[in-house]
Each structure stands twice: as C-alpha cells, then as structure tokens.
Amino acid sequence: MSKRPWGYQPLQQRPDPQWSLHPDTHAVRAGLARSGFGETSEALYLNSGFTYSSAEEAFDSFADEVDHFVYGRFANPTIAMFEQRLAAIEGAEFCVGTGSGMSAMFASIACLVKTGDRVVASAAMFSSCYVVLTEILPKWGVQIVLVKGNDPQEWARALSEPTVAVFLETPSNPLLEIVDIRMVSDLAHKVGATVVVDNVMASPVLQRPLSLGADVVMYSATKHIDGQGRVLAGAILGSFSYIHEKLNPFVRHTGPSLSPFNAWVLVKSLETMSMRVERMNNNAQVIAEFLESRSEIKRVRYPGLKSHPDYAIAQRQMSGGGSTISIEFQGNRSDVFRFMNALRVIDISNNLGDSKSLITHPASTTHRRLTMEVQAEMGITESVLRLSVGLEHSSDLLADIEQALK
Ligand SMILES: *Cc1c(COP(=O)(O)O)cnc(C)c1O
C-alpha cells in the first residue's frame, strides 16, 4: 500500500528492519496505511468483518496466503497501524494490541506456560499482575517463584534451574524499585526462560527493554501511550517467532482484542507521546527534588534522585526517572489523607501516566487487594502516596504541593 518502507507492512510477513529512523519520526509515520482517498491522518476502520471478491480469495485469506483482513478478532487496519507504529518505536519485530494492560500481561505469560512449568518474577509489581501470577496461574499447576527484584543473588538462585518465563516490572508500581534488565536477562537465557518486561512505568520513551536483552515487552497503553485518560488498552511486543508461534495461537482464539476506535485514539496519541513523557519526566524530577528537601516527608523514592538505592542502574537503563514519585510521609494515614484532600490542582485518582497530575494512596486503593504481609514485603505502608506527575506547569504543581503541606 505504501511505497515508503516505514509505512504499513503486509500482515503475515516478517517486516524489513527499518529502524534507521528515529523513534520520534516513527511515532508520526510508521504503519501509516492511506486509503485511496489520500487522507492525511490515519483512518478509523470501525468494522469487525471484511468481504472477499471471490470464494477463492476467502479461501486464500484464511490460509494466510494473501494479505487480506479476515475478522476483527484477528486483525483490523486501524489496529494494525497502531501495532506497527508502536513496534517501530520500540524496535520490536511485531506488536499485538489488546483490550487492556492486564489482558496483555496475562496473554504474554499464559501463551508460554503449561502445567508443571516454572515462572520466576520480581515480587514488587502491579497488584493485578500479582494476582495473575500467584492465584490464577497456580490453579493450572504453574509454579511461581517470587524474588526481591533488586537482589542479584536472589535472581541467581531462582534462575539456577530450568524456567519457562521470567516476569519483571521496572520501575515497580508504586515503590519504583529498579530491576537490572540486562543482568536478569543474561541469567534467564542460560536456563531457557523467555523474559517478559512490564514497561508501563518507564513507557517506550524512557526505557527499551529489548535493547537490554529482554525478549518480550508489555504495556498498559491506558497509561502514557494514551496518556489522556480516554481509553483502556494494552500491547505486547516481541520477535516474529514469539508473536507468531506462541502469542497469536493463544490470543486469536481467546479474544483479548483491542477495539478499532481505541486503536485509532492510540495511533494519534503515539504522535505526541515522547513530548508528553519528556515534559512529565522533567516536572517529576523538579518535584522529587523539592519533596526531598521537606521535613514533612520521610522518604522520596524516585529513580532520578541520587538517593535512590539503584540510581546507577536506573541511569544505565533509563533515559529519565519517569513520571511517578513515591512519597513516604512522617505521620499516619489521617495526616496523609489531609494532605491529599488539601490539594487543589492535583486530583485524587488511581490512574497514572496521565496529562493531569494524579495522587493515590496505594494501601487503601490500588494495592488493597494484597494482604498486609504482601504489602509490607513490597514496602507499601499507610503513609506512602504515589504521585503521577502530569503536564501542568511545574511552578503550579510545586505551589499546590507546598500549600497542601502547610
Ligand atoms: C495499569 C497497569 C497495568 C494494567 O493495565 P490496565 O490497562 O489497567 O489493564 C499493568 N501493569 C502496570 C505496571 C500498570 O501500571
């Protein structure tokens, strides 16, 4: 369809590596498939089905012998534009869009494992990912081993026997623990494991796990990729063989499909993602430094601060500290709630990676599903808040936090 090499690629083919363009250029160009009308902006193909010019064409389409869309659960032109654009930005061979971040996380691991298989994961992770790994997969006889993500010895011990998959989230939500992706990938590959990284907190802009040795990257596109609080979506990125041999045989039949409308929103969101994430990241750095200077605050965890225990690894594998800050207060739950209620610009919300700055109390909201022991292990206490820094002007955010601290 497109004469430009970075445009839309046929569905079943291994794409030519076109990664010589900068990710920012891919963000506005990759995957673009213009119709005969020559529209500038990407078209929204809001349809579930497709027709064929003959019975033979239908036959060949189902046999994957011609490049023809078959059914919305398998592929759709607008969803393909999103997938190809994100793959080009990430430097991945293939991408599969999904209806949510959780369906992406579940499918990325579930397509690899069977009864008796072993999965190793870092313990500090988004609470629904924790439930999938520790409650849902074990029901089917999958063995889960959790390690402290920032302890190389625990990883080495856990990865000293055959393992099918490794799952890790770095930075982790909400305490921003850092896992050394290169170190874990090297250990994992020696025992045959596929390394899946939940790259939600860093976003595709600040961290590129595939270039650090990981095999698969997954996103909640609900976060920075949309970044404007509109759609729920997810994505899984990896090699041609992972996507076609492992993932597609699973997702095509279990149906965690992305809606074409949401894919269209995301195609346009990708065009501004790096500008948004850079601004959020710069705002967060300024706010983290300010918070660290305040006596009301016991501890600020932010990968862009020298006080972060894994600052050196964060510097090596991320190009910024990210948009999320974890704040531990001096004081109890009611002091923390009073601070939240006094904010005038920053909203109370459990979402993150949004253009609007949002604050949440993980112990009573996002992570309440976890037992007190697991919360304590992760370091989540009643006095911890998670601040997702948005696109407002940093001076207004600083003023808002300062007045609320009073
Ligand atoms: C939000 C989130 C998810 C889940 O994504 P949904 O789009 O809400 O399903 C997974 N991992 C992390 C780190 C998240 O922040």
Side-chain angles (χ1 to χ4, degrees):
M1 285 191 196
S2 171
K3 283 197 213 79
R4 303 182 197 214
W6 51 83
Y8 178 81
Q9 306 283 324
L11 285 178
Q12 309 302 339
Q13 279 178 28
R14 187 187 286 270
D16 290 333
Q18 305 292 351
W19 317 131
S20 55
L21 294 179
H22 192 281
D24 287 356
T25 306
H26 281 312
V28 291
R29 293 281 172 185
L32 172 59
R34 290 200 172 111
S35 78
F37 292 117
E39 65 280 356
T40 310
S41 173
E42 295 71 10
L44 168 53
Y45 293 91
L46 195 57
N47 56 300
S48 53
F50 304 88
T51 61
Y52 312 92
S53 58
S54 65
E56 287 77 11
E57 191 183 40
F59 178 89
D60 291 341
S61 302
F62 271 77
D64 284 344
E65 274 163 22
V66 296
D67 188 48
H68 196 299
F69 290 94
V70 171
Y71 187 51
R73 175 148 46 76
F74 306 154
N76 161 289
T78 306
I79 297 172
M81 285 191 244
F82 165 65
E83 292 168 338
Q84 294 187 12
R85 182 163 295 182
L86 184 58
I89 293 169
E90 190 80 38
E93 285 189 335
F94 261 83
C95 171
V96 170
T98 60
S100 69
M102 281 322 302
S103 57
M105 183 272 169
F106 177 66
S108 70
I109 300 286
C111 75
L112 293 170
V113 294
K114 60 180 185 326
T115 301
D117 283 348
R118 189 168 183 275
V119 175
V120 175
S122 53
M125 66 180 111
F126 186 68
S127 66
S128 292
C129 299
Y130 191 88
V131 172
V132 167
L133 289 180
T134 62
E135 293 179 28
I136 296 174
L137 291 177
K139 279 200 297 195
W140 298 318
V142 176
Q143 189 200 342
I144 308 295
V145 178
L146 295 180
V147 301
K148 192 154 173 36
N150 54 9
D151 184 338
Q153 271 156 7
E154 282 201 28
W155 281 109
R157 215 172 308 132
L159 292 172
S160 62
E161 53 184 291
T163 302
V164 171
V166 166
F167 180 78
L168 64 93
E169 178 182 313
T170 182
S172 68
N173 176 8
L175 289 177
L176 309 169
E177 244 176 57
I178 302 290
V179 181
D180 186 335
I181 299 172
R182 169 81 61 200
M183 181 270 296
V184 173
S185 300
D186 288 348
L187 288 171
H189 291 154
K190 284 189 195 130
V191 291
T194 299
V195 178
V196 181
V197 175
D198 181 337
N199 202 33
V200 169
M201 301 298 283
S203 88
V205 180
L206 300 178
Q207 180 168 271
R208 301 165 67 84
L210 299 178
S211 73
L212 297 163
D215 304 295
V216 176
V217 175
M218 58 124 300
Y219 289 105
S220 164
T222 319
K223 312 295 166 56
H224 305 84
I225 295 177
D226 171 29
Q228 292 148 89
R230 300 167 297 187
V231 303
L232 200 71
I236 306 162
L237 297 111
S239 67
F240 183 86
S241 62
Y242 169 80
I243 299 284
H244 287 277
E245 288 161 25
K246 305 285 186 186
L247 187 70
N248 268 340
F250 182 84
V251 294
R252 286 166 73 104
H253 306 292
T254 53
S257 319
L258 176 58
S259 119
F261 179 81
N262 290 357
W264 178 78
V265 172
L266 296 170
V267 163
K268 304 310 290 176
S269 303
L270 285 175
E271 296 185 353
T272 57
M273 175 177 66
S274 85
M275 286 189 294
R276 288 184 285 106
V277 171
E278 274 162 34
R279 164 79 79 89
M280 291 154 95
N281 181 74
N282 294 345
N283 281 353
Q285 182 72 37
V286 170
I287 291 168
E289 285 169 14
F290 168 76
L291 288 168
E292 208 171 36
S293 72
R294 295 292 302 215
S295 60
E296 299 91 337
I297 313 282
K298 191 163 149 197
R299 183 163 174 201
V300 183
R301 292 180 179 90
Y302 181 68
L305 290 178
K306 290 209 176 70
S307 58
H308 191 289
D310 292 312
Y311 177 74
I313 302 169
Q315 286 285 302
R316 204 160 66 225
Q317 68 185 20
M318 298 173 73
S319 54
S323 59
T324 310
I325 305 171
S326 157
I327 312 165
E328 191 173 345
F329 278 74
Q330 308 278 11
N332 55 24
R333 178 194 261 207
S334 68
D335 299 322
V336 169
F337 277 20
R338 262 194 302 133
F339 169 78
M340 292 173 81
N341 293 336
L343 291 165
R344 294 187 194 139
V345 176
I346 300 168
D347 288 308
I348 299 171
S349 170
N350 47 282
N351 203 0
L352 62 87
D354 200 271
S355 54
K356 293 181 173 57
S357 292
L358 306 172
I359 199 155
T360 192
H361 182 247
S364 62
T365 60
T366 53
H367 289 67
R368 73 179 297 158
R369 177 78 179 67
L370 306 177
T371 62
M372 293 304 275
E373 293 88 75
V374 174
Q375 286 194 18
E377 244 166 63
M378 289 189 183
I380 300 164
T381 67
E382 289 289 352
S383 48
V384 169
L385 290 180
R386 184 190 74 195
L387 173 62
S388 168
V389 180
L391 296 178
E392 302 91 342
H393 198 275
S394 59
S395 60
D396 289 332
L397 295 174
L398 287 172
D400 192 30
I401 292 168
E402 193 161 21
Q403 65 82 25
L405 282 173
K406 286 187 187 137

